[in-house]
Amino acid sequence: MKWTAQIFIASALLICMPVFSQLIQVEYSGAIGPTDWTRGWTNYKPVETDYPPANTLIPNMISTNTYLSKRNVYLLKGFVYVANNATLYIEAGAIIRADRDSKAVLVITKGAKIRAIGTETEPIIFTSNQNKGERSPGDWGGIMILGNSGINNPKGSAVAEGIQNPDLGAYGGSDPEDNSGIMRYVRIEFPGYKIINNEKELNGLTMFGVGRRTKIEYVQVSFSKDDSYEWFGGTVNCNNLISYKCTDDDFDMTAGFSGILQFGVALRNPGLKDISGSSGIEADTYGKETEFDYNDKVLTRSVISNFTIISPDPGKDAFAQGFTQNKYAVSIKNNGQISVYNTLIMGFQNGFYIGGAQSEGYIETNQIKLKNNLLYGAVSPMIADVKSNIDLNTWYVTPEYKNTYIRNYDNSILTDPFNHIYPNFSPIAGSAVLKSSSFDELKKYLEGILFYDKPDYIGAFGNVDWTAKWSNFDPAKTQYPDKTVVTVQGKITADTKWTASNTYLLKGIVVVENNAILTIEPGTVVKGDAATKGVLLINNKSKIIAEGTETSPIIFTSSKSTADRKPGDWGGIVILGAGRTNNRDNMTSFKNYGPLSNYTFGGSRFWEESGSLKYVRVEHAGGLIQGSPQKMAAIMFGGVNKINMDYVQVSCSEANGFGFVGGSANGKHLIAFSNTDDDFDVEEGYGGILQYGVVLRNPITADIKKSNSLESFATEVENAQFLPTNAFFTNFSFIGPLKTRAAQYNLNLNSCIHLNKNSSISVSNSIILGYPKGVIFEGDKVDFNILSQQLSFKNNIVAGCFSPILKVGTTGMFDGLKDPKPWFTGPAGKNKILLEAAEVKLTDPFNIASPNFLPAPGSPCLNTVFMGY
């Protein structure tokens, strides 16, 4: 009972940091531009497709991790549940056939995951078990994914339609970043049927409260008896979706869905329509049965861009049958508040329907946004069922909205969109959709500048040394040229540029604020004044643009002479943003940092950018500034969400090297060298992605409070109500002091990685080399995050450590994790533990003066498969 209660409490309270970026900026409107992403994996004739017979029955309850191979053909019979936090893995090319008589349904329950990752040449296929020529819409019930993200329900949770067991059917919660797995290159054919006295329906792919860390992309739903896709609340972002010849709505969102959708295609059939009237997109916050019982704080507020929605060809006889039922391309009603951009609509009676006074009011207040859309062949662009204070059709063509409405068809738009056997949605040369998009209002949703690569090696290096030319592993002896010294102190409130012709001296705390931008030229040297413990602070809404080059890096260093420099000579760099933190009111400060505590950070402006750091070195920082009982990190990020950080080295800090407090800033090519305390300190709900990092510890250097190369925790207070820190580290090389087990080192060095206080980070494709302790898991909440697959270690090598894996500070509540070593070395993680550091075969990684981190021939780091989330 203790185990069950703890899972319930923790799962109800865990909230992860956001991954907001989703939209990709393209030059075209509609779903497809010069490259047709639908080719190769789709099928528009599934009725006549030969599929091999099923030979393996899937059990109705999957409670442990299960793998479906393409070598078998599987039969789905009745309701099949993936439960108990299990993961269903499906190999590319696998075929799953669903039984019609038992109305088969696949349900991914709350906490469980599906990992169905097909490829363009080997998609995963879910289809009917009926013979060729006998398959029809509604043969089975499709796929249901139940998550822990927010929904529009006064209770915050509900039970999915068609599932009688409330434990298996529960969905909804408080975790917008919940992860239900991934579906990529998947086809779902002939799903959807009526349930509950024919008043409720199952769809092709139904997502109930699914969270943002779930990935749904390159999915085709064909011949659904009801909707192709339906979202009940949740925050999941989806892209590259196809709906083909469904009966009801192609894309239906309700109950507070707030995800972002991009690149969607819908092709309707005039002979398939629902009696209630079908739409390409239908969006509402509540249905008729819940009109007086819903949460008015959780509205359906999704953002849709680059869709192509096509109803029947008006030039064909069949068009007349379906025209009256295929009424609306986009229906927004019952307090729905979606926005549609860069979308092409062809063949509907009306373009947009606005239902209800609440949704009409959002038109007038500009909370429903319809911009840069192309509408062809509709009787009218917009229609409403409530008298509005504005003329909607006039509003739609307001010049600043850049919408296009043409009453008749234009056959020069797409190649062959109405072909129901071999459709071609690609634009014709010179088409109006080409070079017609606008992302001016969508910049805050655009995909981030930095995201992870997928190299074929473990650690930070393959056969190229990216530290060459710009890094420095002997900064204490480096002589910087004498230039005109410009003293900087106080506040910078207007845009300012620092040039390489000067040397800049930071005296005291220098604050960039008032939306000012500080730009620093390549090759510029900035010195922190040792007497006043200089600090450069970039405040909320301001930016730093420090972009050096490989041959002319920007250098922040001590003001002391070459012979006198030492760690802690000056404070360091502080960058503040408005991303989420673990403070209850989302605003916090660097407590115990003296005057820095006057500057707050955190909030909900996830789109706010803080500038860039590229080819930058920060040396001899981490000092104790005046009035502060605690030393600074060399670079401190407070609630920073967006910053272009690439090729940054922190050396000889008296305290931490990189400090991330909340936010979700990403970074690549980071070096931490000879720092005293932690090299990377991540806390207070930090959730960014860091790739290609190298840490080199100095054997004689460590902090009396015990140092780690990576320390992660959610908050100083062990409390499950706080956001877990769930950063993603990949391709790191952590080099400790133990070249051999007999090597001498500072005994205050604790471990390579120390996870405690609700940390749920992921570490993959990385090397941990020569530490007294490799990885320490501390506390019951860390145990829970391991067992619930929120904390992840995959494809790592731990070598030359006295204690490779260690568990401390737990109460024994989780009997399933008495010893974390079997979990760490199990087949799912593909981690390795090697006895000696030399077995990793790096060239010369322990050389403090001139290290070489490249793998030597025969290294186990080479020729490996990248493992992501």
Side-chain angles (χ1 to χ4, degrees):
M1 293 298 294
K2 189 191 301 182
W3 161 257
T4 305
Q6 180 68 9
I7 286 183
F8 174 79
I9 293 168
S11 63
L13 296 174
L14 289 175
I15 302 176
C16 303
M17 285 305 297
V19 177
F20 288 105
S21 299
Q22 168 65 18
L23 293 176
I24 299 172
Q25 185 166 345
V26 294
E27 292 186 341
Y28 54 88
S29 297
I32 296 169
T35 301
D36 187 353
W37 53 264
T38 70
R39 297 299 173 189
W41 63 279
T42 53
N43 183 2
Y44 298 99
K45 296 181 66 177
V47 175
E48 301 298 326
T49 301
D50 278 316
Y51 293 118
N55 57 26
T56 304
L57 178 66
I58 299 176
N60 291 101
M61 184 62 66
I62 298 173
S63 55
T64 59
N65 292 347
T66 299
Y67 183 81
L68 304 185
S69 168
K70 67 180 180 181
R71 293 188 296 272
N72 298 317
V73 177
Y74 296 88
L75 179 63
L76 200 69
K77 199 168 184 178
F79 273 75
V80 173
Y81 297 94
V82 181
N84 194 38
N85 295 322
T87 298
L88 176 63
Y89 300 87
I90 306 178
E91 186 180 13
I95 298 174
I96 299 92
R97 302 190 63 164
D99 180 58
R100 182 170 71 177
D101 293 338
S102 62
K103 296 297 185 183
V105 181
L106 177 62
V107 183
I108 312 301
T109 66
K110 190 172 174 178
K113 292 182 175 67
I114 181 172
R115 292 188 65 83
I117 307 176
T119 67
E120 196 171 15
T121 55
E122 288 192 299
I124 292 167
I125 300 164
F126 290 85
T127 192
S128 168
N129 196 39
Q130 295 301 109
N131 295 326
K132 172 183 174 181
E134 298 177 0
R135 302 167 196 142
S136 59
D139 277 352
W140 64 296
I143 300 173
M144 304 166 68
I145 304 178
L146 283 56
N148 193 38
S149 188
I151 64 170
N152 191 312
N153 185 291
K155 298 177 182 178
S157 62
V159 177
E161 296 175 353
I163 301 178
Q164 303 302 315
N165 186 322
D167 294 327
L168 295 174
Y171 71 94
S174 58
D175 186 355
E177 305 308 315
D178 191 34
N179 185 354
S180 296
I182 180 171
M183 294 181 70
R184 178 185 292 142
Y185 288 114
V186 174
R187 298 205 310 256
I188 303 170
E189 302 168 353
F190 308 103
Y193 61 76
K194 299 282 185 179
I195 57 172
I196 312 176
N197 299 323
N198 289 329
E199 292 185 2
K200 299 289 184 183
E201 303 91 1
L202 298 182
N203 310 290
L205 176 58
T206 313
M207 290 156 275
F208 296 88
V210 174
R212 195 177 287 118
R213 285 191 178 271
T214 309
K215 295 182 181 294
I216 306 292
E217 56 188 8
Y218 298 97
V219 177
Q220 179 182 16
V221 177
S222 302
F223 293 104
S224 175
K225 184 75 172 179
D226 195 61
D227 303 329
S228 287
Y229 305 85
E230 184 160 13
W231 293 265
F232 287 84
T235 50
V236 60
N237 300 326
C238 306
N239 55 273
N240 300 88
L241 308 178
I242 301 173
S243 171
Y244 178 61
K245 293 189 178 182
C246 80
T247 301
D248 199 3
D249 306 318
D250 296 284
F251 306 95
D252 191 340
M253 50 207 74
T254 188
F257 173 60
S258 60
I260 300 171
L261 308 178
Q262 188 175 25
F263 306 123
V265 173
L267 178 59
R268 301 197 61 82
N269 187 325
L272 293 175
K273 55 193 178 293
D274 191 81
I275 192 171
S276 63
S278 303
S279 301
I281 297 172
E282 181 172 88
D284 58 40
T285 291
Y286 58 84
K288 290 181 179 179
E289 69 279 6
T290 58
E291 183 173 0
F292 303 106
D293 184 28
Y294 77 100
N295 181 352
D296 61 2
K297 304 297 184 184
V298 185
L299 305 185
T300 293
R301 288 191 175 107
S302 57
V303 174
I304 298 166
S305 183
N306 294 97
F307 270 52
T308 295
I309 307 171
I310 299 174
S311 197
D313 184 352
K316 299 195 177 172
D317 293 337
F319 173 75
Q321 305 177 21
F323 194 90
T324 56
Q325 290 298 335
N326 291 319
K327 290 183 178 180
Y328 315 117
V330 181
S331 172
I332 308 172
K333 59 184 181 178
N334 297 346
N335 217 0
Q337 201 184 96
I338 72 168
S339 295
V340 181
Y341 300 85
N342 304 312
T343 288
L344 171 64
I345 298 168
M346 304 173 73
F348 286 82
Q349 185 177 3
N350 299 283
F352 295 85
Y353 166 71
I354 309 297
Q358 293 163 315
S359 290
E360 266 194 67
Y362 296 140
I363 290 283
E364 298 180 25
T365 59
N366 201 32
Q367 290 171 285
I368 288 178
K369 297 182 180 182
L370 309 176
K371 296 188 177 182
N372 216 66
N373 302 300
L374 294 88
L375 174 59
Y376 293 88
V379 174
S380 62
M382 297 188 71
I383 190 171
D385 62 2
V386 177
K387 185 177 179 180
S388 176
N389 294 325
I390 61 175
D391 184 322
L392 291 178
N393 288 326
T394 302
W395 175 89
Y396 179 79
V397 295
T398 301
E400 65 184 271
Y401 298 158
K402 298 181 181 179
N403 293 311
T404 298
Y405 167 57
I406 305 295
R407 173 64 184 87
N408 298 316
Y409 278 86
D410 185 341
N411 292 326
S412 66
I413 302 298
L414 303 182
T415 303
D416 196 5
F418 301 109
N419 187 323
H420 284 262
I421 299 176
Y422 300 107
N424 189 329
F425 307 106
S426 296
I428 292 174
S431 170
V433 305
L434 296 172
K435 296 186 178 179
S436 66
S437 66
S438 174
F439 284 80
D440 292 344
E441 282 198 1
L442 298 172
K443 288 181 179 178
K444 63 185 179 183
Y445 302 112
L446 292 181
E447 191 168 50
I449 296 171
L450 291 167
F451 47 92
Y452 64 82
D453 302 323
K454 298 180 180 179
D456 61 352
Y457 52 83
I458 294 174
F461 304 90
N463 55 14
V464 175
D465 185 0
W466 49 261
T467 69
K469 297 183 181 179
W470 68 278
S471 62
N472 185 353
F473 293 94
D474 196 8
K477 297 179 182 178
T478 301
Q479 181 68 47
Y480 295 112
D482 292 327
K483 297 180 181 179
T484 302
V485 176
V486 176
T487 300
V488 185
Q489 54 189 343
K491 295 183 177 181
I492 298 173
T493 58
D495 291 354
T496 301
K497 186 173 184 179
W498 292 352
T499 66
S501 58
N502 298 319
T503 295
Y504 295 86
L505 180 66
L506 301 172
K507 297 197 75 171
I509 299 177
V510 177
V511 182
V512 182
E513 61 181 22
N514 194 38
N515 297 306
I517 299 174
L518 173 62
T519 302
I520 306 177
E521 281 187 348
T524 301
V525 176
V526 181
K527 295 185 176 181
D529 180 52
T532 60
K533 299 295 182 183
V535 173
L536 177 63
L537 187 149
I538 312 300
N539 208 355
N540 279 290
K541 299 183 180 180
S542 292
K543 294 180 183 179
I544 180 172
I545 308 295
E547 296 187 358
T549 66
E550 191 175 27
T551 55
S552 295
I554 294 167
I555 298 155
F556 290 84
T557 191
S558 166
S559 64
K560 289 186 177 179
S561 62
T562 304
D564 296 329
R565 292 180 202 139
K566 64 181 185 301
D569 278 348
W570 62 293
I573 301 171
V574 181
I575 304 176
L576 304 182
R580 292 177 64 191
T581 72
N582 251 332
N583 192 284
R584 294 183 188 278
D585 60 4
N586 270 339
M587 293 299 293
T588 189
S589 65
F590 289 114
K591 299 175 182 177
N592 300 322
Y593 286 92
L596 290 186
S597 62
N598 296 326
Y599 298 92
T600 59
F601 58 91
S604 58
R605 297 194 303 275
F606 58 82
W607 58 87
E608 187 172 295
E609 299 182 9
S610 298
S612 59
L613 299 173
K614 190 170 183 180
Y615 290 111
V616 172
R617 300 203 311 254
V618 181
E619 304 164 352
H620 298 106
L624 192 68
I625 61 176
Q626 187 175 7
S628 169
Q630 191 163 324
K631 296 174 183 176
M632 291 182 57
I635 307 180
M636 299 170 65
F637 300 89
V640 175
N641 269 344
K642 286 191 173 185
I643 186 166
N644 182 6
M645 179 166 48
D646 204 2
Y647 299 101
V648 178
Q649 178 177 14
V650 171
S651 300
C652 304
S653 171
E654 176 69 8
N656 297 329
F658 295 86
F660 296 89
V661 182
S664 57
N666 298 331
K668 283 184 178 179
H669 302 105
L670 309 178
I671 304 172
F673 168 64
S674 193
N675 297 310
T676 303
D677 200 358
D678 304 328
D679 295 286
F680 290 85
D681 185 84
V682 296
E683 57 183 273
E684 301 291 342
Y686 168 65
I689 300 171
L690 303 178
Q691 185 171 29
Y692 307 123
V694 60
V695 170
L696 181 57
R697 298 290 310 189
N698 190 322
I700 66 173
T701 302
D703 190 83
I704 194 171
K705 296 183 296 183
K706 300 294 184 182
S707 303
N708 308 280
S709 281
L710 168 57
E711 182 167 29
S712 171
F713 59 91
T715 179
E716 290 289 354
V717 179
E718 180 80 355
N719 189 324
Q721 297 184 50
F722 288 103
L723 302 169
T725 293
N726 65 343
F728 181 55
F729 289 79
T730 185
N731 292 103
F732 267 63
S733 294
F734 296 100
I735 312 300
L738 300 176
K739 183 176 182 179
T740 68
R741 289 172 173 265
Q744 299 295 308
Y745 71 97
N746 189 315
L747 296 180
N748 286 318
L749 177 61
N750 184 37
S751 71
C752 178
I753 300 177
H754 185 196
L755 310 179
N756 64 1
K757 297 173 183 172
N758 208 6
S759 174
S760 63
I761 70 170
S762 296
V763 180
S764 65
N765 313 298
S766 294
I767 302 167
I768 296 172
L769 197 65
Y771 285 81
K773 299 169 186 155
V775 183
I776 298 176
F777 301 102
E778 180 175 353
D780 290 333
K781 294 179 181 64
V782 171
D783 283 3
F784 170 77
N785 291 339
I786 291 174
L787 291 170
S788 59
Q789 301 182 52
Q790 298 178 82
L791 186 155
S792 172
F793 276 74
K794 294 183 179 179
N795 208 37
N796 303 293
I797 296 175
V798 180
C801 299
F802 297 138
S803 300
I805 306 296
L806 193 63
K807 176 182 171 185
V808 300
T810 55
T811 64
M813 178 179 294
F814 299 103
D815 293 336
L817 198 66
K818 290 181 178 179
D819 181 3
K821 287 183 183 177
W823 164 81
F824 187 83
T825 58
K830 297 185 177 179
N831 299 298
K832 295 179 182 178
I833 296 178
L834 304 178
L835 185 63
E836 300 293 343
E839 294 180 67
V840 181
K841 297 183 179 179
L842 300 187
T843 303
D844 194 10
F846 298 99
N847 188 327
I848 292 294
S850 183
N852 187 329
F853 306 105
L854 294 181
S859 169
C861 302
L862 298 173
N863 302 314
T864 68
V865 176
F866 179 89
M867 296 187 71
Y869 285 109

